[in-house]
């Protein structure tokens, strides 16, 4: 069990810190608890990796919330663990620190580390995670890669087309002509919006409009986001 524990790093959302210790002493103390033989300069390097360069010998009691969060991440990386649990690693951080920590997580992933990341920031999850689990009241309701979740969620594709002018008397006939390919079709000014059940219908729509000598400037399918899937 000790060997297994040494391969695991944990950063809880609400971590306890020893406020009278310096950041470096804090790291030394936890490396000793983990029975990890790490030189102080290696621990300093860990602190630098999370953005605490220059704060190694400062007491934790003077740290901001964000600095404590970074210290918690550095603590989780002691001993170069293979399995890392990070609970809300970027919550409460300023935008610059968020980017730094996200880049660090991506670097760890590139090093073949397995990372369990919990976050309420859906954009962050979509950006960082290769596999996603959505839980409701302690139960897993959705699971898979972003592409798998998209395919499960997306029953149709919403389109927006920027087109040339159409005379009012032609709108109804165009709607009838496009009805085999799309639903919920609406034309307002230079925008045509609709839903299609398959990507195969998009070029057929474009071809039908081109036959009517209607200029098509842009075709934009709406991208499904993790927020859509979460609330869907």
């Amino acid at each position: 069990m000790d060997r297994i524990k040494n391969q695991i790093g944990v950063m809880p959302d609400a971590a306890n810190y020893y406020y009278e210790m310096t950041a470096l002493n804090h790291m030394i103390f936890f490396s000793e608890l983990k029975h990890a033989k790490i030189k102080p300069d290696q621990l300093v390097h860990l602190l630098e990796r999370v953005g605490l360069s220059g704060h190694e010998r400062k007491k934790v009691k003077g740290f901001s919330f964000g600095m404590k969060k970074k210290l918690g991440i550095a603590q989780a990386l002691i001993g170069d663990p293979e399995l890392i649990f990070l609970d809300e690693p970027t919550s409460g951080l300023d935008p610059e620190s968020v980017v730094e920590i996200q880049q660090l997580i991506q670097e760890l992933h590139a090093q073949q580390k397995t990372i369990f990341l919990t976050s309420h920031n859906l954009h962050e999850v979509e950006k960082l995670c290769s596999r996603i689990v959505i839980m409701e009241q302690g139960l897993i309701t959705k699971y898979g890669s972003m592409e798998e979740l998209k395919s499960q969620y997306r029953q149709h594709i919403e389109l927006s087309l920027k087109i040339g002018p159409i005379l009012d008397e032609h709108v109804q006939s165009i709607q009838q002509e496009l009805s085999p390919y799309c639903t919920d079709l609406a034309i307002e000014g230079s925008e045509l919006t609709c839903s299609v059940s398959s990507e195969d219908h998009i070029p057929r729509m474009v071809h039908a409009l081109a036959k009517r000598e209607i200029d098509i400037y842009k075709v934009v399918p709406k991208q499904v986001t993790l927020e859509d899937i979460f609330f869907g």
Side-chain angles (χ1 to χ4, degrees):
M1 285 303 297
D2 286 341
R3 185 178 62 82
I4 293 172
K5 289 177 182 177
N6 284 340
Q7 294 300 310
I8 299 173
V10 180
M11 190 214 77
D13 183 31
N16 293 316
Y17 300 97
Y18 295 93
Y19 292 109
E20 292 302 319
M21 284 186 177
T22 64
L24 179 56
N25 285 340
H26 198 280
M27 295 287 285
I28 291 171
F29 175 65
F30 275 91
S31 65
E32 290 173 347
L33 286 180
K34 205 169 184 179
H35 304 294
K37 296 178 180 179
I38 306 175
K39 296 178 180 178
D41 59 338
Q42 293 174 305
L43 296 173
V44 169
H45 176 65
L46 274 181
L47 292 170
E48 290 173 351
R49 285 187 74 187
V50 300
L52 288 176
S53 179
H55 299 283
E56 303 89 348
R57 304 193 182 280
K58 294 180 181 178
K59 288 188 176 182
V60 177
K61 68 179 180 182
F63 280 16
S64 65
F65 176 82
M67 291 171 72
K68 291 174 188 172
K69 181 80 74 171
K70 291 178 180 180
L71 179 59
I73 296 172
Q75 176 184 310
L77 299 181
I78 290 173
D80 193 27
E82 293 298 317
L83 178 61
I84 304 167
F85 292 88
L86 301 176
D87 190 0
E88 301 281 357
T90 61
S91 66
L93 297 182
D94 61 87
E96 185 177 351
S97 296
V98 168
V99 172
E100 289 175 356
I101 296 304
Q102 288 178 347
Q103 288 175 343
L104 174 60
I105 292 171
Q106 289 170 325
E107 288 172 13
L108 292 168
H109 177 63
Q111 295 168 13
Q112 305 300 311
K113 305 294 185 185
T114 300
I115 303 167
F116 279 80
L117 167 71
T118 62
S119 176
H120 290 89
N121 184 336
L122 299 183
H123 175 71
E124 178 174 77
V125 172
E126 188 172 346
K127 176 181 177 181
L128 295 178
C129 298
S130 55
R131 309 289 293 177
I132 299 169
V133 172
I134 295 175
M135 299 184 70
E136 294 178 24
Q137 299 181 347
L139 298 175
I140 293 174
T141 58
K142 298 180 180 75
Y143 169 76
S145 68
M146 191 62 198
E147 287 306 312
E148 288 169 343
L149 291 176
K150 280 181 180 179
S151 65
Q152 293 168 20
Y153 169 84
R154 185 164 57 191
Q155 304 301 317
H156 59 271
I157 304 167
E158 295 180 20
L159 291 179
S160 172
L161 286 76
K162 185 180 179 183
I163 59 176
I166 297 177
L167 296 175
D168 291 342
E169 56 265 30
H170 294 164
V171 169
Q172 189 171 356
S173 63
I174 289 172
Q175 288 175 326
Q176 289 175 346
E177 193 167 342
L178 297 181
S179 61
Y181 314 120
C182 65
T183 58
D184 302 322
L185 189 146
I187 300 173
E188 293 186 14
S190 61
E191 185 180 28
L192 183 154
T193 58
C194 65
S195 298
V196 296
S197 59
S198 168
E199 288 184 344
D200 295 339
H201 290 163
I202 298 174
R204 294 169 187 166
M205 283 184 55
V206 171
H207 181 67
L209 291 169
K211 276 183 69 176
R212 296 287 296 260
E213 297 185 348
I214 297 170
D215 295 327
I216 303 165
Y217 299 99
K218 188 185 295 185
V219 180
V220 183
K222 181 190 175 188
Q223 296 298 316
V224 177
T225 66
L226 188 55
E227 185 173 307
D228 295 326
I229 295 167
F230 184 82
F231 291 108

